[in-house]
Amino acid sequence: MAEQQHRRVEPDGVGGPAGTVDVDVVVVGLGVGGEETANRLAAAGLSVVGIERNLVGGECPFWGCVPSKMMIRAANALAEARRIDGLAGRARVEPDWSTVARRIREEATAGWTDDAGVARFTGKGGRFVRGTGRLVGPGLVRVGDQTFRARVGVVLGTGTTPVIPPVPGLAGTPYWTNREAIELAELPESLVVLGGGAIGAELAQVFARFGVRVGMVEAGERILALEEPESSERVAAALRADGVTVHTGARAERVEHDGSGFTVHLADSARLRGERLLVATGRRAVLDTLGLETVGLDPTRRFVATDDRMRAGDGIWAVGDLTGHGAFTHVAMYQAGIAVDDILRRAGKLTDAAGKADDPAGKLGDPAGGGPRADYRALPRVTFTDPEVGAVGLTERQARERGLTVRTGFTALSDSTRGWIHQVGDEGFVKLVADADRGVLVGATSAGPVGGEVLSALAVAVHAEVPVSTLAGMIYAYPTFHRAIESAVRDLLQ
Ligand SMILES: Cc1cc2nc3c(=O)[nH]c(=O)nc-3n(C[C@H](O)[C@H](O)[C@H](O)COP(=O)(O)OP(=O)(O)OC[C@H]3O[C@@H](n4cnc5c(N)ncnc54)[C@H](O)[C@@H]3O)c2cc1C
């Protein structure tokens, strides 16, 4: 439904003549991953067609990361102002959503237009086509009445769309997805959020801090289910402190909508009322309309399987959310870099000799040559709630499920000097997950006022497999939040 509402109304295929056109590469979907790939290939001198049916840039700049973080920045400023009492005097806070809405409309999204993105691509020599692309055979992509034949290959970067759960009564109601929540001009009086993942938690906290009465429904036993249980607890407590009623283990059985809003009926016969209903129950790749079967790929799978060079098959690459390696902008960008390298080699624009000049130690490629390979061991992720939850690699449970000899270290931020100084708002912790047999970290979480920033040191440790003994012997600046890493390492080694 949201996809329909937000589609630009333009006929497929605007931007080129009818008939079959030979090019080097066709990129289908110019979101984060596709745009990066298309721009870099065009800049390298390949003839590239980029096909986008909505806005060049995709979900992240228009309805995802960027505007949601603008909302969070504003909501956190309100929360900090409310913390002045007891720290610095008294403050009276009058939230005004119009400032946030204006920033998103004018600064972040240029009124949801993509002229700048299109110009970036065409300025590099790329050929832009607005429309819905579909594979019609190996190397062949159709958009409207045009067919492009790719000499080198096709890159898929079509992203994901929100999952709308089959709750009776929900279909056909004017529920929100992230798109309506981000485009919001005026706040509702009350909101029910279905889903306690990162997007649901971030947006619930924003709206609650702006004075909206928010209820959250999560079917699982805890919110932020993909993260450590300690993260779920801290964020649920923070949401409750902001006035959100958090219902976990609560399945929405039925939804009703009338003139004044939504009623969500829970399995235990409780009901939640909200003027608006935000569905944030996950995202899925839409593969059945891409023509995957015409190139021998299975359109019924959840994601497009790729190897570590982002190849989905011969002459076909996939980057971004649709590969199923975590729906994050940094993953899409990382994969785009790998695909670009591989495609340039295929096109004869990059040789191992040239690669070696850039990378004499062979760190980026593999001994047999052939460029960088994707490695997700140290995948970082941040939930931008307050406390902010940064995590990298495996959780304790995932490490145990893999049969590792697990040791953990934990420290609460409030026990650190910086946490004690910070006082109100110092909720958080550092948790380390080590493979005791190898003496290295395989995962870590840093939750707190700047949890996503503290994460950087932990991401290096997991990525580079820095020995725990080395982490124990380092100097950590006093009094920082990241100094809690030292306490957690000590706890781990006890
Ligand atoms: C509310 C929200 C907050 C988020 N916050 C963060 C964050 O803080 N940090 C982070 O790392 N990630 C965040 N994300 C996730 C991030 O937005 C995605 O991981 C990222 O956009 C994925 O990029 P992509 O290229 O895979 O797909 P997308 O950005 O979804 O782009 C895919 C593009 O393909 C187009 N398309 C689809 N099918 C076709 C077709 N057949 N023909 C032509 N075009 C097509 C679509 O119109 C779209 O523009 C957030 C997401 C949401 C929803």
Side-chain angles (χ1 to χ4, degrees):
M1 183 199 77
E3 188 67 31
Q4 284 303 322
Q5 283 178 356
H6 295 276
R7 269 194 65 179
R8 292 171 55 125
V9 185
E10 290 195 36
D12 278 356
V14 171
T20 299
V21 180
D22 287 306
V23 294
D24 288 327
V25 177
V26 179
V27 181
V28 184
L30 297 182
V32 174
E35 184 188 17
E36 174 79 0
T37 307
N39 282 347
R40 287 178 59 180
L41 291 176
L46 297 191
S47 62
V48 182
V49 167
I51 305 171
E52 170 55 52
R53 69 176 176 203
N54 199 342
L55 294 178
V56 173
E59 206 69 16
C60 178
F62 292 106
W63 298 285
C65 333
V66 177
S68 69
K69 265 79 258 179
M70 263 185 188
M71 291 161 68
I72 288 166
R73 165 79 177 113
N76 286 358
L78 292 175
E80 275 296 279
R82 289 174 183 132
R83 289 167 180 160
I84 284 176
D85 282 17
L87 279 179
R90 251 177 298 283
R92 215 178 51 150
V93 182
E94 287 176 24
D96 178 1
W97 185 255
S98 67
T99 314
V100 184
R102 185 199 55 72
R103 277 201 80 195
I104 291 175
R105 195 178 57 250
E106 294 175 10
E107 295 174 29
T109 66
W112 288 275
T113 60
D114 64 353
D115 301 348
V118 172
R120 265 196 307 274
F121 178 50
T122 54
K124 291 179 171 61
R127 174 174 179 171
F128 178 63
V129 182
R130 181 93 60 197
T132 299
R134 180 184 162 85
L135 286 156
V136 290
L140 292 172
V141 177
R142 185 166 300 151
V143 49
D145 60 359
Q146 294 178 94
T147 305
F148 292 98
R149 185 165 36 218
R151 280 184 287 261
V152 181
V154 176
V155 181
L156 302 175
T158 49
T160 51
T161 53
V163 168
I164 306 303
V167 179
L170 179 61
T173 64
Y175 59 82
W176 287 354
T177 65
N178 62 298
R179 294 196 169 191
E180 289 76 14
I182 296 281
E183 290 185 6
L184 190 63
E186 280 180 28
L187 291 173
E189 179 266 322
S190 55
L191 174 72
V192 178
V193 179
L194 273 193
I199 293 173
E202 288 179 2
L203 295 178
Q205 189 171 51
V206 164
F207 289 122
R209 288 182 165 185
F210 269 87
V212 177
R213 190 163 45 76
V214 181
M216 174 183 277
V217 182
E218 166 54 50
E221 285 309 308
R222 58 189 179 92
I223 65 167
L224 301 187
L226 301 177
E227 301 301 345
E228 296 283 6
E230 293 90 339
S231 304
S232 309
E233 273 167 38
R234 296 300 190 290
V235 173
L239 290 176
R240 289 188 172 113
D242 281 317
V244 179
T245 55
V246 181
H247 301 257
T248 50
R251 191 167 288 281
E253 295 267 285
R254 191 159 52 88
V255 168
E256 280 170 5
H257 177 254
D258 57 32
S260 62
F262 292 84
T263 307
V264 179
H265 297 260
L266 304 183
D268 62 2
S269 77
R271 293 171 191 191
L272 266 74
R273 278 286 295 173
E275 186 185 333
R276 295 290 177 182
L277 174 68
L278 169 62
V279 179
T281 46
R283 300 184 66 86
R284 69 182 179 93
V286 181
L287 302 185
D288 53 351
T289 51
L290 276 179
L292 293 177
E293 63 288 353
T294 68
V295 295
L297 299 179
D298 183 356
T300 63
R301 293 183 66 153
R302 279 188 70 202
F303 300 108
V304 175
T306 50
D307 69 9
D308 52 9
R309 291 197 178 110
M310 309 320 303
R311 298 175 190 161
D314 189 29
I316 183 153
W317 290 260
V319 295
D321 284 8
L322 88 163
T323 65
H325 287 284
F328 301 106
T329 283
H330 43 273
V331 171
M333 303 281 286
Y334 172 74
Q335 294 178 330
I338 292 168
V340 165
D341 186 287
D342 198 40
I343 292 166
L344 291 179
R345 281 166 199 275
R346 177 72 70 94
K349 293 268 181 189
L350 187 64
T351 60
D352 280 341
K356 282 216 173 68
D358 292 342
D359 174 31
K363 294 273 187 217
L364 299 174
D366 63 80
R373 290 166 178 263
D375 171 2
Y376 304 102
R377 278 174 309 118
L379 200 160
R381 50 210 186 263
V382 179
T383 303
F384 291 87
T385 44
D386 173 16
E388 199 169 273
V389 178
V392 60
L394 303 178
T395 60
E396 178 181 354
R397 181 174 166 181
Q398 288 168 336
R400 291 192 191 287
E401 283 170 357
R402 290 185 189 200
L404 302 181
T405 310
V406 172
R407 283 192 79 141
T408 61
F410 183 90
T411 191
L413 284 194
S414 53
D415 292 343
S416 70
T417 306
R418 181 58 181 272
W420 176 77
I421 292 168
H422 198 78
Q423 207 198 51
V424 58
D426 70 352
E427 295 83 6
F429 62 90
V430 170
K431 178 173 178 177
L432 308 177
V433 181
D435 175 350
D437 293 338
R438 291 192 301 138
V440 296
L441 298 185
V442 290
T445 297
S446 64
V450 285
E453 307 306 321
V454 171
L455 181 69
S456 63
L458 297 167
V460 172
V462 173
H463 179 81
E465 302 188 333
V466 178
V468 174
S469 55
T470 304
L471 298 174
M474 279 173 54
I475 304 173
Y476 297 82
Y478 178 88
T480 57
F481 284 114
H482 78 248
R483 203 172 147 82
I485 294 172
E486 185 183 39
S487 309
V489 169
R490 272 210 219 107
D491 184 56
L492 190 147
L493 292 175
Q494 258 178 18

